[in-house]
């Protein structure tokens, strides 16, 4: 395989020149193969011999042969150099077309309602890309954990991330099963939650999230209590279906259950709005073709509103404790 050759300072300087001379037993043929002058090849080999501390070639006016040191160096250097060339080709291939492993970190609730159809169509369009989905609620450092991109609700996306909208804004709804609401009077005001079993979720930082509700033009954080603390919305939603209590969840994951009558929405006028769900990634300047292809696939969906910088309005919230 013909490679571009330049003489540089470093541990590998002269190795390719040495390998070509060893292959052809000729400095002139090696120079022609690499597209440089015979003197450049000679200088590169001499510098390599100086670093190694041993002569690698026996030179005469008629021939070029390997010394014992040269033969041993060749036996180790040739396969190592070939591996470097192969590694460069693999890296170059990943940088030129959509291929390789695309790793995404996403909340569990997003996978069935949003990602499954999206991933299916993407994999059909780009068969050379493998997709790995790590479903979890933990907010991870994409670069440190080796992820190409993540999916989160807008309020959890850092302001320095580039984001692509996956859903429009949606409310956080309070729902309960018909059986639970037959056993407990349906709440009509925020204060009524004191009389109810309220299912809660533990955040990735270890704290238990309060329920966020709106009362007129202000946001109220209600400290509720109940029999279950979950680590993700699907678990909490399942408990609500089983009649364990009321749950506050993103509207998209509860919609089908409300339509089929397995859950009933309550406190509708108090439901706060969430910014929506976004695909996010660190920088467009570092985007590999596999991720660029996925971003373009996402943006081609009707619900996608294009690329934007996420900004979270951290307004003051008034806390109300429910006992």
């Amino acid at each position: 395989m013909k490679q571009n050759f330049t003489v540089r300072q470093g541990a590998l300087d002269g190795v390719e020149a040495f390998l070509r001379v060893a292959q052809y037993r000729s400095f002139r043929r090696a120079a022609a193969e690499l597209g440089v002058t015979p003197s450049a090849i000679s200088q590169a080999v001499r510098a390599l011999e100086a670093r190694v501390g041993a002569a690698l070639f026996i030179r005469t006016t008629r021939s070029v042969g390997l010394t014992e040191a040269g033969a041993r160096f060749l036996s180790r250097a040739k396969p190592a150099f070939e591996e470097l060339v192969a590694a460069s080709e693999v890296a170059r291939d990943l940088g030129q077309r959509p291929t390789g492993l695309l790793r995404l970190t996403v909340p569990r609730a997003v996978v069935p309602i949003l990602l499954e159809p999206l991933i299916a169509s993407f994999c059909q369009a780009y068969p050379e890309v493998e997709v790995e989905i790590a479903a979890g609620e933990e907010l991870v450092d994409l670069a440190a954990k080796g992820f190409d991109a993540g999916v989160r609700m807008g309020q959890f996306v850092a302001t320095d991330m580039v984001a692509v909208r996956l859903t429009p804004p949606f409310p956080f709804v309070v729902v309960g099963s018909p059986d639970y609401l037959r056993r407990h009077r349906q709440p009509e005001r925020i204060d009524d939650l004191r009389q109810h079993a309220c299912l809660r979720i533990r955040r990735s930082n270890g704290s238990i999230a309060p329920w966020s509700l709106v009362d007129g033009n202000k946001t109220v954080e209600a400290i509720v209590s109940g029999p279950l603390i979950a680590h993700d919305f699907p678990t909490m939603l399942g408990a609500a279906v089983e009649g364990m209590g009321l749950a506050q969840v993103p509207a998209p994951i509860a919609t089908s259950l409300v339509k089929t009558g397995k859950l009933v929405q309550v406190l509708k006028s108090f439901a706060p709005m969430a910014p929506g769900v976004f695909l996010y990634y660190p920088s467009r300047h570092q985007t590999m073709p596999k991720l660029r292809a996925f971003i373009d696939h996402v943006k081609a969906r009707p619900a996608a509103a294009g690329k934007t910088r996420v900004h979270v309005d951290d307004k003051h919230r008034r806390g109300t404790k429910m006992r």
Side-chain angles (χ1 to χ4, degrees), residues 8 12 14 18 22 68 90 109 120 122 168 173 199 207 222 225 253 265 267 278 300 315 321:
R8 297 174 181 167
L12 294 178
F18 164 80
E68 182 181 2
V90 169
F122 175 76
V173 297
L199 312 177
S207 65
S225 62
I253 73 170
Q265 184 180 349
L267 297 174
F278 291 80
K315 294 181 179 178
K321 186 173 183 179

Side-chain angles (χ1 to χ4, degrees), residues 153-192:
M153 286 190 288
Q155 63 266 41
F156 299 121
V157 178
T159 56
D160 61 344
M161 293 287 111
V162 180
V164 178
R165 180 177 289 280
L166 295 178
T167 73
F170 52 74
F172 260 68
V173 297
V174 178
V175 293
S177 71
D179 177 65
Y180 175 85
L181 293 172
R182 278 193 295 268
R183 291 183 283 114
H184 301 81
R185 184 177 179 180
Q186 186 171 134
E188 297 180 355
R189 300 176 303 159
I190 295 176
D191 286 347
D192 293 343

Side-chain angles (χ1 to χ4, degrees), residues 287-300:
T287 305
M288 297 291 286
K290 60 184 178 181
L291 178 56
R292 171 52 54 195
F294 187 70
I295 292 167
D296 291 342
H297 191 75
V298 167
K299 290 171 69 174

Side-chain angles (χ1 to χ4, degrees), residues 99-122:
T99 186
L101 178 63
L102 180 68
R103 301 188 72 228
L104 305 174
T105 171
V106 302
R108 290 184 180 90
V110 167
V111 176
I113 64 170
L114 184 62
L115 273 197
E116 283 180 358
L118 184 64
I119 294 299
S121 59
F122 175 76

Side-chain angles (χ1 to χ4, degrees), residues 6-7 11 19-20 22 30 45 49 59 89 98 103 114 118 133 136 166 244 274 281 312 321:
T6 54
V7 179
L19 292 175
R20 290 295 180 266
V45 170
E49 289 175 326
R59 304 169 178 86
E89 290 298 324
R103 301 188 72 228
L114 184 62
L118 184 64
I133 297 175
L166 295 178
M244 290 187 65
Y281 56 99
V312 181
K321 186 173 183 179

Side-chain angles (χ1 to χ4, degrees), residues 10-24:
L12 294 178
D13 286 356
V15 173
E16 187 172 13
F18 164 80
L19 292 175
R20 290 295 180 266
V21 174
Q23 177 183 358
Y24 296 117

Side-chain angles (χ1 to χ4, degrees), residues 45-105:
V45 170
R46 281 199 299 269
L48 178 63
E49 289 175 326
R51 291 201 307 275
V52 170
L56 302 177
F57 290 111
I58 301 171
R59 304 169 178 86
T60 70
T61 57
R62 294 186 298 274
S63 64
V64 175
L66 287 167
T67 64
E68 182 181 2
R72 292 190 179 189
F73 188 85
L74 177 64
S75 67
R76 296 292 188 90
K78 187 174 185 293
F81 189 81
E82 288 172 349
E83 280 297 309
L84 280 174
V85 171
S88 298
E89 290 298 324
V90 169
R92 184 179 299 110
D93 195 39
L94 288 171
Q96 292 178 344
R97 62 191 178 91
T99 186
L101 178 63
L102 180 68
R103 301 188 72 228
L104 305 174
T105 171

